[in-house]
Amino acid sequence: MPTSTFEKLPAAKKERVNAALLKEFSVYSLAEAQVARIVDDAEISRGSFYKYFNDISDAYRYEFGQVMSSLHAPFKQGASATDVTGIVRMVEQFVSESNRSEYREFMRLYYQRNQYLLPTDISPRTPTELEWASSVLVHQSIKEILLNPDQQTQYLERLERVLQQLFH
């Protein structure tokens, strides 16, 4: 996780670093990512990068947390974790080719190449059993769609059917 030095940065500089991390990890897998490209994009020195993060894996874990926080924000703002139609609509919007969410390619690479390089339990809280079950279903559906976009309709229909069964 980032150091206290990073946490104390001015918002604009933090945003530049976040944008550079997102860009790098949306184009390159963790194994292919380079600190040199990140520092160039963020307009910081290599030494500063290492004052903010222990290594590139640490930076990836931080950015992954930022992406997950942003993607889960609707649930923190009152969206129901049991609203099947809302959940399926959010998944559909996220994976939609036309939407091009700023996080779509980051998540595609995560599922394709990076997911096994991170610790498996990175959730900051313990969800209820229903939240956990719906989260597993949603994340698996997103993974399947991003890796097999031609089967999106079938995956979304299956997600909706299973969530309906789970919540009713």
Side-chain angles (χ1 to χ4, degrees):
M1 292 282 89
T3 65
S4 59
T5 303
F6 180 77
E7 297 300 333
K8 294 175 188 172
L9 288 177
K13 191 168 190 177
K14 254 185 174 175
E15 189 53 41
R16 277 199 334 263
V17 172
N18 277 324
L21 292 172
L22 181 61
K23 179 181 175 185
E24 183 71 10
F25 297 130
S26 293
V27 175
Y28 301 97
S29 71
L30 180 54
E32 301 165 327
Q34 293 181 2
V35 172
R37 284 190 296 257
I38 294 168
V39 299
D40 283 348
D41 284 346
E43 300 174 357
I44 60 172
S45 70
R46 191 174 187 88
S48 292
F49 177 89
Y50 289 106
K51 285 183 183 176
Y52 306 152
F53 305 101
N54 291 329
D55 55 26
I56 200 157
S57 295
D58 188 38
Y60 184 90
R61 282 190 297 279
Y62 165 75
E63 192 59 26
F64 182 84
Q66 295 297 107
V67 168
M68 288 293 104
S69 249
S70 181
L71 291 175
H72 292 145
F75 293 106
K76 293 176 186 169
Q77 297 168 353
S80 172
T82 60
D83 172 16
V84 172
T85 304
I87 292 170
V88 172
R89 191 175 323 124
M90 285 192 320
V91 169
E92 186 173 22
Q93 288 172 341
F94 178 73
V95 298
S96 168
E97 286 285 339
S98 61
N99 182 24
R100 288 314 217 180
S101 161
E102 63 183 316
Y103 304 124
R104 188 176 190 283
E105 289 305 306
F106 179 95
M107 291 307 300
R108 186 186 59 74
L109 266 177
Y110 167 74
Y111 288 127
Q112 199 173 53
R113 314 259 313 272
N114 294 327
Q115 70 178 332
Y116 300 108
L117 302 176
L118 295 177
T120 55
D121 184 21
I122 54 179
S123 175
R125 67 178 188 84
T126 305
T128 67
E129 288 178 352
L130 280 179
E131 288 172 331
W132 173 82
S134 67
S135 175
V136 169
L137 292 168
V138 164
H139 285 264
Q140 184 63 30
S141 296
I142 290 170
K143 174 183 178 177
E144 290 173 344
I145 293 167
L146 291 177
L147 297 178
N148 305 291
D150 56 318
Q151 296 178 35
Q152 176 175 328
T153 302
Q154 295 92 315
Y155 292 136
L156 288 172
E157 288 171 354
R158 181 183 63 188
L159 175 62
E160 187 168 13
R161 273 192 319 275
V162 175
L163 287 174
Q164 291 286 356
Q165 293 171 9
L166 183 66
F167 295 132
H168 295 101

